[in-house]
Amino acid sequence: MLNIILMGPPGAGKGTQAVTIADEFGIPHISTGDMFREAMANKTELGLKAKAIVESGGLVPDDLTIELVKERLSRPDCANGYLLDGFPRTIPQAEALAKIGPEIDRAVNLVVNFDCPSDVLVSRIAGRRVCPKCGASYHIVNMKPKVEGVCDRCGGDLIQRKDDNADSFKVRLDNYYKQTQPLLDYYQGSGLLHSFDGTTNPKLLHDQVADLLKAHR
């Protein structure tokens, strides 16, 4: 069983790898952002609580986030594994996941991390363009759409996110490293962490990760 946490800074290629890994190994890709949006849209009890907090401008507290994660991982489609993206972000969240995972027979057994130098990340993000309709991601140099400014997948107009400019991104990146380094140390100590070079060609990187997953399946 593959119960995986996917980690790495924004721009390291997590999104691209997550889709291919989930498809190849037949496990759900669980993004915490998508999870929140689904719970709010479905008006579940937890979703309504989260919506009230978000709409008031607050941050969703750990206990509510953890309950949402627990509910999502408890579903039948996670019985044979899952790929968790965007959670945990802090040591308390990791400790909570370490507790609830075994309770619902969904204990994490692999943490896959992508390392990437800051200058490479800034270059990648500044050139990123996304489709607000379907979420597809492109790059003005490395991954151009077939028609400039138009999504290959759904035909939507591509945009640059407000926080994808270089200055804003550097702030996000600093915050990520401050939050995440303790988590990497935490999972390194547990023997679950496996790090890969995020600058590797995407196809080769996928093959490297897939070899690891096949060895643990």
Side-chain angles (χ1 to χ4, degrees), residues 27-64:
I27 56 178
H29 170 212
I30 302 171
S31 158
T32 48
D34 291 344
M35 183 184 65
F36 274 110
R37 285 186 285 273
E38 179 188 4
M40 292 181 199
N42 291 339
K43 298 181 179 180
T44 66
E45 181 180 352
L46 293 173
L48 291 173
K49 288 181 180 178
K51 184 177 182 180
I53 294 169
V54 170
E55 290 182 346
S56 68
L59 296 174
V60 179
D62 274 0
D63 59 347
L64 182 52

Side-chain angles (χ1 to χ4, degrees), residues 2-212:
L2 295 171
N3 296 336
I4 308 163
I5 294 173
L6 189 62
M7 296 181 65
K14 290 202 311 293
T16 301
Q17 296 298 332
V19 171
T20 56
I21 291 169
D23 286 347
E24 180 173 345
F25 289 89
I27 56 178
H29 170 212
I30 302 171
S31 158
T32 48
D34 291 344
M35 183 184 65
F36 274 110
R37 285 186 285 273
E38 179 188 4
M40 292 181 199
N42 291 339
K43 298 181 179 180
T44 66
E45 181 180 352
L46 293 173
L48 291 173
K49 288 181 180 178
K51 184 177 182 180
I53 294 169
V54 170
E55 290 182 346
S56 68
L59 296 174
V60 179
D62 274 0
D63 59 347
L64 182 52
T65 302
I66 291 161
E67 280 301 308
L68 278 166
V69 170
K70 182 177 181 179
E71 188 278 329
R72 179 65 187 88
L73 296 185
S74 298
R75 295 185 194 175
D77 66 337
C78 293
N80 294 316
Y82 57 82
L83 182 65
L84 194 55
D85 179 5
F87 183 92
R89 293 183 183 273
T90 64
I91 294 294
Q93 288 181 353
E95 291 174 340
L97 183 59
K99 180 180 178 182
I100 66 174
E103 289 177 358
I104 58 175
D105 196 26
R106 303 286 195 273
V108 173
N109 50 32
L110 277 176
V111 179
V112 175
N113 175 61
F114 297 135
D115 289 321
C116 199
S118 297
D119 59 335
V120 174
L121 295 171
V122 172
S123 174
R124 285 181 177 179
I125 292 297
R128 182 165 68 179
R129 299 295 183 267
V130 297
C131 177
K133 283 187 177 181
C134 70
S137 182
Y138 301 87
H139 192 275
I140 59 175
V141 176
N142 303 326
M143 195 184 296
K144 297 179 180 180
K146 294 175 182 176
V147 178
E148 185 176 353
V150 179
C151 178
D152 294 348
R153 187 185 299 173
C154 72
D157 293 330
L158 301 181
I159 63 168
Q160 182 182 33
R161 291 173 178 158
K162 291 181 179 179
D163 59 354
D164 275 355
N165 67 75
D167 290 338
S168 295
F169 180 67
K170 286 177 182 177
V171 174
R172 286 168 56 201
L173 199 56
D174 286 344
N175 290 333
Y176 172 84
Y177 284 126
K178 287 175 184 175
Q179 280 189 327
T180 306
Q181 190 57 53
L183 267 181
L184 294 177
D185 293 341
Y186 174 86
Y187 283 119
Q188 183 70 55
S190 68
L192 299 178
L193 183 67
H194 299 265
S195 289
F196 295 86
D197 181 358
T199 65
T200 302
N201 172 278
K203 175 64 169 64
L204 178 57
L205 180 58
H206 168 79
D207 291 344
Q208 292 173 348
V209 175
D211 285 344
L212 170 72

